Structures are given as C-alpha cells and as structure tokens.
Amino acid sequence: MTTAPRSFAYSGTAATRTPPEVPRGVRAFLHRHLFNSPLGGVATFVLGAVIAIVLWRVLQWSVVDAVWYSPGDGSACRDAAGACWAVIAEKYRVILFGAYPYQQQWRGALVVALWLGWGAISATRLLSVTLRLAGWAVVFVASILLLGGGFLGLEAVGTDVWGGLPLTFIIFGGTVAGGLPLAVLLALGRRSQLPVVRFICVATIEGVRGIPLLALLFFAALILPLFLPPQLTVDKLIRAEVGMIVFFASYAAEVIRGGLQAIPEGQDEAAKALGLGYWLRTRKIILPQALAIVVPALFNDIIRAFKNTTFFSILGLFDVLGATKAALQDPQWVRYGTEGYLFVFLLYFLICSAMSAYGSSIERDNQRRARKAAR
Amino acid sequence: MSLSSTSQGAAPRVPSSGAPSPGIPPWRNPRVRAFVWQALLVLALLALVLWLAMNARRALDERGMTSGFGFLLDPANFALGEAFFTFTPGSPYLDAFAVGVGNTVLLSLVSIVTASVLGVALGFARLSGNALVSGLAKAYVEAFRNTPQLVQIVFWYSFFTLLPPPRQSWPLLGLGYASNRGLTVPAPEQGGVALLVAGMLVVGAIAAFAIGRLADRRRRRTGRRWRYVGVVEIAALVLPPLAAWLAMGAPTGWSVPVLRGFNYTGGATLAPEFLAIYFGLSFYIAAFIAEIIRGGLISVDAGQIEAANAIGLRRADLYRKVMVPQAMRVIVPPLAAQYVSLLKNSSLGVAVGYPDLFSVSNTALTYSGRTIEVLCIMAVIYLLMCLAIGAVANLVNRFVQIPER
C-alpha cells in the first residue's frame, strides 16, 4: 500500500487576509511622489523652486508686463518690459485668413467653424463612423466651394490668395482624403503575389520615404509642370498637394501593412474556400479588420500630416505659418516676431493635442473591447 | 479526414491544385491572368514614362535649356551662408554640393547626439517616481511633439535674430553672450586640436566598449571574472584623447569673447541660422526619442524587475544588465526611424538660410537652371544617406537582439 505523497503546501485553511491598505489622499501622494526619501525631498524643493521662478518670470513677461492693445502701430509696445500681444490683435486677420479678400473673410471663418464644429461632433462619437466620414467629405467639398466661390453670387476667389487656417485645413483634408486610399493600395500591392506589382509598390514606398518631404514638394511644384504638356496647367496648390499625398501614403502604407500582417492567414483562406474573389475578400474580410487595428497608429501619421502642412509656407503658399511670416514682415511689427510665432505655436498645439487625445481615446476603446471579448 | 474525402467525392470537378485543367478557359487561369495584368501594368507605366519624357524634352527645348551633368564643373557664382564648411563663389557646382552635404551631415550628427542625450534623459525622467520630474518631462514631450517642427525652427530663428545687439547682449554666466548675432561662447584657441581630442574620445569609448564585451565573453566562457576590467575600460576611454592632446603640445589656451566696440573679439559665434535649425531638429526629435525610450523601458516585463530585485541586484545593475538589454530590442528600430527623420528634416534649413544640402541645391538650381538634374542629385544623396543610417541601424539591431534558443 502506498501512502499519498506528502504535500509541501499548507494543509489547513488560512484566514482570509484583507489586502494591504494603500494610503490615499493628498498627504499620501506627497509622501509617495514628492518626498519619498530625504534626497528626493531636496530634489523636489530645488526643482520646485526653479520651476516657480521660471514660471513667475514667464507670467511676468507674458501677462503682467504685457501690452495687449496698441492701435495703429507698435508704439505702445516699444517701452514695455513684457510681451507685445498687440501684434496678434493687429494681425490676427492676416494670420488666420492670409491674403484672402478682407470683405470675403467671413467665408474663411465659416470654413474654420465647419471644421472645428464637425470635429467636435465627430469626437463625441454619437454618430456612426459612416455618417462621420460622409460628414467630413461634405465639409471638405463645402470648404473648397465656399473658398473658391463663383456661384450663387459668391465672388470667385483664386487659390493664389487662399490662406491661413482654411487653407491649412484644406491641405490637410486633401492629404488624408487622397493619401489613405493610395496607402491602402500601396500596402496591398506590397503584399501582392504579383512580382511586378510588388516591386513597383516597394520602390515607391521606400523611394519616397528616403527623401525629405520638402524635396518631394519641390519635385511636385517645380518639375511636374515640365513633364506635363503645356496646354495642361495644374494649379500650384494642387501640384504641391500631390507631393503631400504621395508622402503621406508611403508612410501610412507601412502602418496599414502592419495591420494586414496581423490578420490571421485563416481569414483569407476561409474567404477563399467560400469562393470569394481577391477584391471581394480584401474589401469584405481583410481590410475591415486590418484598418480597425491600425486606426490609433494611423492617427500619428494623420497628426504629422497636419503638422507638415506648414511646409507649404516654404513653397510660398500662405498657410497659417506662411501668413504669419508675411504678417510679421510689416516694419511696424517686425520686432514682435517671437509673440507672433508663439501664438502660431499655441494654435497648432491645441489642434494637434486634440487630435492626439482623440487618437488615444480610440486606442483605449479598442483595448477595452478586446478585454471584453476575451472575458 | 473523412470530411475531405466526402467533399472530394461530392465535387470531383474541383481541381486539387493551381495547375490548369483542360476544362478551364485561359482567361480564368490564375497564372495567365497574373501575367496579362502585370504585362498591361508594365506597358501602361512605360507609356506614362515615355509621355512624360517627351513632354519634358519639348519643354526644355522650348526654353532653350540644355541638360546633362556637365554643369557640375562650371563655376558657381553665388555665395552661401557661413556654417561648418564655407564656399567661395566661383568654385565649381560640385564644390557647392560637397559643402551642402558636409553641412547637412555635421548638423545631423550634432543634432542626433543632442537629441539622443536629451531624449534618453527625458525618457527616464518620465518614469521617475518624483511627480515633479515626470510631470516636467511630460509637459516637454507634449509641447514639442504636438507642434510642427517648422514652426519651432522659425520661432527659434525669430527669437535669436530679435535678441538685442551685442552692446546690450545677455551675458550667459559671465562666459558667453546671447545677442542678435547668435551665441558667442568661449572656444579652445586651437580648434583643430580640440576636434582631434573629441575624435579620440569617440575612439576611446568604442575601445572601452569592445574591452567590456571581450571581458564579458571571457567570463561566460571560462567563468572567471577579470578583476581590473573597470580600470582598463576607463584607461581605454581616457588614454587616446590624453595622448592626442599631449602629442599636440598640450595647448590649454581658451579664447574668451570680449565685447569691443560693436562686436566681439575672441570666442566662437554660433550664428542664429545654425542655432535655429539645430534647436529645431534636436528639441523636436528629443521629444519623440523620450517616448521611444519610455516605451522600451516599460516593455520590460515586471517579473524581470522583480526577479532582479529578488536576487539582490543593485539598481545600477538592474538597469545595465536586465532592463537596458531587453529594452534595446524595442528601442533601436523606431530610434533609427527618428534619426532618418531628423536627417531628412535638416532640409528645413532652407527656411532660415542655413546652407544645408537642400538649400544649396535650391540655390544651385536657380543659378544653373538645371532643375531636373539638381533635384535628382539631391534626392539620390538624401536617399543614400538614409540608406546608410538604415544599414547602421540594421547592424546595431542585430547586435542588440538577444538570441533566443
């Protein structure tokens, strides 16, 4: 007869213990995160003092000693010790709308309102994705029509004087709208069974990713006209936009490829077994899953596309940065460039932060859904 | 397996493999279709290229422009701004390109080093237990990541050019001055020696690293520790620069800037153009590097850290032996992508007039009229530099991969 092996485990039942108490509240936070050791406490004090002094200086410069209003010219700013925000009060119309005809700038304001408004509505996620995307398409087309005019008694305005925030939004919208479909095609092509298609897509993606965006924009803006027949003149804005789209697509294609690779082979095989053709499989089975995975990562590229709209200022187009540069060339105000660019900095910061926050909220949603599905 | 046999029995007409069966017409054969589609694609692309080339030919003829790369040896009658390398007007275009490449490479190198140091510090700071430190690092990352690089560059340029003139300049710790001419800082009197010493320091660092790895390999093979490895490593790091310094006659003179009249004498001046692009590149990329470093460090499994603590590793060893080697696998590929991005965005120097490759090309194409050639040369050089970074990154990546099984 064999005896049961003796277990090393405790055989009785232990009393259930309560989890260790984690102290909460302000004092506990201070103790844990600011004064957890003597050295840490000293570091906190020193760093805190430095931050306080710097913040006080910044506040003094930007608020206490600042001049907010100086009508006509910068004379009231001349003797001020602080910032001259009067330059914004004087030039905000140029910064926000560029060289767009002054009387017609309500159209630009309406475009900005459309974008910000629909952005806010989309961020609430009350509407379905299809509806939101359709809305963006409407907003985009409406912005172009509204700025261009030439119908219903709206004065026609050439793209050469479009500028400021509306132009930035339109460049951005065009880049994403044109770039995403191209990116999907490039990503699919890179994974294609057909060697020629694969080669063309790899060459495009790697070639474009290997040269600066600025070089690509110069190619598009300077060289493209040489290669087109003289009777076919394409607007400079559209030419530069082509460069933006190709650049965005090459980066986004690599992100989408990552999503395509994450879809298990079985999905495609199952669809094949059902007798679905390539495009039907791709459209109905592969892409919906792949795109859902990569949306948060794509947001990084989308935000970068927004930041890259500033490159248009180097081509001599008047996006927000270009318009600001032009506004600050006024000899009355040229001395307050720092304030002007800080304003632009803040403007971009707000928009990009909002997009970034939305992107990470999608990521959190996806994770929550995955956790729920796993349960 | 019974299922497959029944299904085959039920549908005997389905071919088992991709081989064409006699009953299928050629336009339904996957191989034929693949060939035809690709042939059509190639033909369409060839036609497009031919059409574009003919248009370009005609456009160039109409404007009386000649093509070819012969212009590279012609004298270039333009001046370029001051930077690492200077260009004398009248030298051939080839020299202008060389100056541009040199300025781009050195600017990128300096910026990469600065961005890496700052980024690593910020990445660790974001994980600090001290809420003030991590909060400050987070604020930095958010501010610099969520604004366009070009806005930052233009901001720095405007900031430096709007500083007061030298006579009312801001003193920096009594050593240098910040004025609208840029930063004027003390510099070693014999710049060449300083450069040599810095170069030897890099050599020494590589030597010390190699010695460390050799000692490590020996310890793994034989189980014996090399007691003096620390001393030897420090010696390998310090000796080459020290020897170089002594060999050059051990110059100790520092040239300190002094305000004379309307300008400074002595010291070295960093021009606003350089500072703008250098700050713009370094500070922007540092924010991204900080996020990559943070991501790499938190990717290390918590169990690894607990295990290291359980066997009593010191904090420095926890980082050096456990966390960093595992984090590096995650860090290196995106880090290389950031370096490539930095190199490419050094082309934004054109916005502030720093004579990098892009702005030199821009000037050269205006003066020579060879738009296509100049842009192609520039694109190829950028492509090669990006490929070079990619190749180095691949090497390093192989180095940091921890072989499993």
Side-chain angles (χ1 to χ4, degrees):
Chain A
M1 180 183 151
T2 55
T3 53
R6 263 178 55 198
S7 166
F8 288 101
Y10 182 64
S11 59
T13 47
T16 323
R17 282 188 290 175
T18 53
E21 209 168 289
V22 181
R24 286 161 177 270
V26 178
R27 281 195 58 177
F29 177 86
L30 286 180
H31 182 75
R32 197 139 29 98
H33 291 296
L34 293 176
F35 301 102
N36 53 353
S37 67
L39 195 67
V42 172
T44 300
F45 266 119
V46 172
L47 193 62
V50 171
I51 292 175
I53 292 171
V54 170
L55 269 187
W56 171 241
R57 284 283 187 84
V58 169
L59 203 69
Q60 227 176 2
W61 178 79
S62 65
V63 179
V64 178
D65 292 339
V67 177
W68 297 87
Y69 190 57
S70 166
D73 57 0
S75 55
C77 287
R78 195 89 7 117
D79 308 316
C84 176
W85 299 117
V87 64
I88 310 296
E90 185 73 20
K91 294 289 181 194
Y92 77 97
R93 298 275 293 238
V94 185
I95 293 176
L96 292 182
F97 303 116
Y100 206 77
Y102 197 84
Q103 297 303 324
Q104 302 290 327
Q105 284 182 2
W106 59 271
R107 283 151 70 173
L110 197 56
V111 167
V112 173
L114 269 179
W115 279 78
L116 295 183
W118 193 252
I121 291 172
S122 298
T124 60
R125 276 177 266 182
L126 291 172
L127 306 173
S128 72
V129 174
T130 330
L131 211 55
R132 272 184 267 166
L133 287 179
W136 278 119
V138 171
V139 166
F140 180 61
V141 174
S143 314
I144 293 175
L145 291 179
L146 202 57
L147 281 190
F151 60 94
L152 288 181
L154 280 180
E155 194 184 311
V157 177
T159 57
D160 50 327
V161 291
W162 290 12
L165 211 47
L167 180 65
T168 294
F169 282 149
I170 284 176
I171 300 168
F172 169 63
T175 307
V176 176
L180 276 182
L182 185 59
V184 169
L185 285 182
L186 283 173
L188 288 174
R190 194 165 181 168
R191 283 169 55 82
S192 166
Q193 304 283 327
L194 312 178
V196 174
V197 175
R198 202 165 53 226
F199 172 78
I200 292 170
C201 290
V202 171
T204 309
I205 292 174
E206 296 302 333
V208 169
R209 279 157 50 98
I211 60 172
L213 171 58
L214 206 48
L216 201 64
L217 291 180
F218 265 58
F219 266 112
L222 290 179
I223 289 204
L224 209 57
L226 281 181
F227 284 98
L228 295 177
Q231 61 272 23
L232 182 71
T233 48
V234 183
D235 195 88
K236 185 177 179 185
L237 185 62
I238 298 175
R239 293 200 308 257
E241 191 67 44
V242 170
M244 284 289 273
I245 288 174
V246 173
F247 189 81
F248 174 76
S250 297
Y251 275 85
E254 289 297 276
V255 176
I256 293 172
R257 183 163 72 107
L260 292 174
Q261 278 169 352
I263 307 299
E265 198 69 11
Q267 295 281 332
D268 198 38
E269 283 164 2
K272 267 185 195 160
L274 290 175
L276 302 187
Y278 175 78
W279 289 109
L280 208 54
R281 286 199 309 273
T282 305
R283 243 182 43 227
K284 297 281 179 188
I285 311 287
I286 306 298
L287 276 182
Q289 301 185 60
L291 289 180
I293 298 175
V294 297
V295 163
L298 267 181
F299 250 85
N300 288 335
D301 281 283
I302 290 175
I303 294 171
R304 183 164 47 192
F306 186 76
K307 292 191 283 184
N308 282 348
T309 56
T310 50
F311 281 53
F312 275 50
S313 69
I314 297 180
L315 296 179
L317 292 161
F318 295 99
D319 73 306
V320 176
L321 184 61
T324 309
K325 270 187 191 169
L328 291 171
Q329 256 153 23
D330 184 342
Q332 299 275 2
W333 298 98
V334 72
R335 293 174 47 189
Y336 310 107
T338 310
E339 287 88 340
Y341 290 120
L342 271 181
F343 174 74
V344 176
F345 189 89
L346 206 63
L347 192 66
Y348 277 103
F349 177 75
L350 289 178
I351 296 173
C352 293
S353 299
M355 282 200 277
S356 162
Y358 180 64
S360 37
S361 82
I362 295 180
E363 193 169 6
R364 273 197 304 278
D365 266 19
N366 277 0
Q367 280 164 359
R368 204 175 305 144
R369 209 171 299 136
R371 268 204 302 277
K372 224 183 252 174
R375 233 186 276 140
Chain B
M1 282 300 105
S2 64
L3 191 70
S4 70
S5 67
T6 47
S7 70
Q8 244 171 21
R13 279 172 298 136
V14 175
S16 55
S17 71
S21 87
I24 289 176
W27 61 87
R28 289 210 179 282
N29 182 339
R31 281 210 192 145
V32 177
R33 286 167 68 116
F35 177 78
V36 170
W37 279 121
Q38 295 186 78
L40 284 178
L41 187 64
V42 169
L43 283 179
L45 272 183
L46 279 181
L48 183 70
V49 168
L50 204 66
W51 182 69
L52 292 175
M54 272 160 55
N55 281 331
R57 184 76 261 163
R58 200 169 53 190
L60 290 180
D61 283 347
E62 267 170 22
R63 293 165 206 208
M65 284 151 83
T66 48
S67 49
F69 289 95
F71 75 100
L72 284 174
L73 299 174
D74 296 345
N77 293 314
F78 51 78
L80 296 172
E82 292 285 315
F84 292 101
F85 299 98
T86 45
F87 176 73
T88 40
S91 308
Y93 278 96
L94 205 56
D95 284 13
F97 276 108
V99 167
V101 172
N103 285 336
T104 290
V105 168
L106 278 182
L107 169 71
S108 302
L109 271 182
V110 176
S111 304
I112 282 175
V113 172
T114 313
S116 305
V117 171
L118 195 60
V120 169
L122 284 165
F124 276 92
R126 279 212 65 180
L127 296 174
S128 161
N130 192 317
L132 220 49
V133 175
S134 61
L136 206 60
K138 186 169 166 35
Y140 175 95
V141 169
E142 292 294 323
F144 282 85
R145 228 165 53 126
N146 279 333
T147 43
Q149 196 169 16
L150 187 55
V151 171
Q152 295 179 23
I153 292 170
V154 174
F155 168 78
W156 288 120
Y157 187 63
S158 144
F159 176 79
F160 280 110
T161 46
L162 290 174
L163 283 178
R167 299 189 72 163
Q168 291 110 39
S169 60
W170 301 354
L172 302 172
L173 301 172
L175 288 173
Y177 301 94
S179 69
N180 60 3
R181 314 254 168 134
L183 285 182
T184 310
V185 290
E189 261 168 12
Q190 299 188 16
V193 178
L195 225 62
L196 182 71
V197 169
M200 291 314 270
L201 196 65
V202 174
V203 172
I206 294 172
F209 185 71
I211 288 171
R213 276 194 72 97
L214 274 179
D216 212 40
R217 198 177 289 171
R218 179 172 169 277
R219 188 178 56 77
R220 278 168 204 230
R221 207 177 54 237
T222 64
R224 259 175 300 169
R225 220 178 248 283
W226 188 14
R227 198 189 288 173
Y228 299 110
V229 66
V231 180
V232 173
E233 271 180 18
I234 291 173
L237 178 68
V238 174
L239 277 183
L242 195 67
W245 182 63
L246 288 175
M248 300 310 284
T252 53
W254 279 79
S255 151
V256 179
V258 181
L259 187 63
R260 288 253 167 76
F262 290 101
N263 208 348
Y264 302 101
T265 52
T269 299
L270 304 169
E273 291 80 22
F274 170 75
L275 289 170
I277 184 78
Y278 169 58
F279 282 11
L281 289 176
S282 313
F283 293 169
Y284 179 80
I285 297 291
F288 285 85
I289 292 181
E291 283 300 275
I292 292 170
I293 300 287
R294 185 180 78 106
L297 288 175
I298 56 176
S299 78
V300 177
D301 192 72
Q304 296 277 332
I305 300 163
E306 286 162 7
N309 286 334
I311 59 171
L313 278 193
R314 280 177 302 162
R315 205 167 163 73
D317 277 340
L318 164 71
Y319 278 112
R320 257 183 47 203
K321 310 265 177 185
V322 179
M323 292 196 58
V324 171
Q326 298 190 65
M328 281 303 261
R329 294 181 299 173
V330 184
I331 287 173
V332 167
L335 192 63
Q338 288 303 326
Y339 290 163
V340 169
S341 159
L342 189 151
L343 174 83
K344 289 196 299 175
N345 282 347
S346 68
S347 60
L348 291 175
V350 74
V352 293
Y354 175 82
D356 71 314
L357 174 58
F358 189 88
S359 45
V360 169
S361 308
N362 193 19
T363 313
L365 76 82
T366 315
Y367 276 81
S368 71
R370 309 288 172 89
T371 319
I372 300 176
E373 289 87 343
V374 169
L375 281 179
C376 285
I377 292 174
M378 175 187 72
V380 167
I381 296 176
Y382 272 115
L383 208 55
L384 289 179
M385 289 196 286
C386 290
L387 287 178
I389 293 184
V392 172
N394 274 344
L395 262 180
V396 174
N397 205 14
R398 204 176 305 154
F399 206 60
V400 298
Q401 289 302 323
I402 298 166
E404 295 180 30
R405 282 185 285 283

